[in-house]
Amino acid sequence: MTASADMTRLLTDVTVKYPGVMMTDAQAKLYAVANEFLAFSNLWYEDVSFDLVVGQNSYTLTLAEVPPGRIARLVALYDSQDVRLPDIYWCDRARLTLPNGLTIYTTPSTVKTWVARVVKIIADVDADNNPALPDWVIQRYRDDLLAGIQRDLCLEVGKPWSNPTMGAFWGKTFLQAKGRARVDAIKGNVLGQTNWAYPQSFGRGTQRGV
């Protein structure tokens, strides 16, 4: 996997806006900022199907997307044939055993296909040291990620680009962007709609938007 044109332009913009910042530094900043953004917003998810085995409680979730990312949390678990969806989510019936394990609390007595919806963050870099994340993240949230990178650069100490005042400004901008992205996830990027929500007892937000 190689960097998309959008990612290349974003990283180049960072080095142009802040002379002296090396490309490797920009890549590292993007990795950290994108993971912060994704972890907070729950934008990047994958639905992973797996077959229950009678008498077996532990399973391995196999991520199929490219790039696969890394599982951050479980947000939904359900029977793939449940006609009541999206009203029923069983997060209280299982726990993750990271990196890719899932343990369900009730021992299965029948064979069924369940689906685990997991929120993901970046797991690796590509051959050119760019963060391995989906193109749609950069395409849709480019300016938001740039705000986070500028926050981190401006708050560095003793650098030619150090600027605590602008660091605070970009920090506020990035915080607001994360909030908007989380709303995007909850609404599924459909204006005025709610895509799906966590059970109240689970206490965290929802899915990605594309």
Side-chain angles (χ1 to χ4, degrees):
M1 177 181 175
T2 57
S4 67
D6 295 294
M7 182 182 294
T8 300
R9 282 192 291 269
L10 171 58
L11 293 169
T12 300
D13 281 353
V14 172
T15 60
V16 171
K17 288 176 180 291
Y18 296 88
V21 173
M22 304 296 292
M23 180 59 72
T24 53
D25 295 329
Q27 291 168 321
K29 295 294 185 187
L30 176 57
Y31 189 107
V33 164
N35 261 353
E36 178 184 343
F37 190 77
L38 293 169
F40 182 88
S41 66
N42 300 320
L43 281 166
W44 187 15
Y45 74 86
E46 184 173 340
D47 289 334
V48 183
S49 298
F50 64 99
D51 294 327
L52 296 182
V53 177
V54 175
Q56 179 176 319
N57 293 81
S58 297
Y59 298 86
T60 298
L61 301 178
T62 302
L63 300 176
E65 290 184 348
V66 178
R70 174 164 55 93
I71 295 174
R73 67 181 66 92
L74 174 71
V75 294
L77 181 67
Y78 54 88
D79 184 336
S80 64
Q81 300 302 312
D82 196 328
V83 297
R84 295 171 294 175
L85 289 176
D87 299 323
I88 301 298
Y89 297 101
W90 297 341
C91 289
D92 58 345
R93 299 190 181 190
R95 64 181 175 86
L96 282 177
T97 51
L98 297 175
N100 289 74
L102 179 74
T103 300
I104 59 177
Y105 298 137
T106 303
T107 303
S109 57
T110 58
V111 176
K112 293 183 177 181
T113 298
W114 277 13
V115 178
R117 176 165 290 180
V118 292
V119 165
K120 304 193 296 182
I121 57 177
I122 304 168
D124 206 350
V125 295
D126 64 19
D128 296 319
N129 207 40
N130 296 301
L133 76 165
D135 291 343
W136 62 263
V137 176
I138 299 291
Q139 292 166 357
R140 186 175 181 89
Y141 298 101
R142 177 193 185 283
D143 291 345
D144 299 330
L145 297 173
L146 180 57
I149 294 171
Q150 291 185 99
R151 174 203 64 183
D152 288 356
L153 286 171
C154 289
L155 291 178
E156 288 185 348
V157 178
K159 301 290 186 179
W161 50 82
S162 300
N163 189 327
T165 300
M166 290 305 299
F169 169 80
W170 289 119
K172 181 179 180 180
T173 301
F174 186 54
L175 180 63
Q176 293 170 339
K178 290 192 297 181
R180 289 193 301 270
R182 188 160 182 150
V183 172
D184 285 348
I186 292 171
K187 293 187 175 182
N189 280 316
V190 180
L191 183 62
Q193 300 296 317
T194 299
N195 198 11
W196 64 279
Y198 287 74
Q200 289 185 349
S201 61
F202 197 69
R204 296 296 296 265
T206 52
Q207 74 159 16
R208 81 172 179 191
V210 292

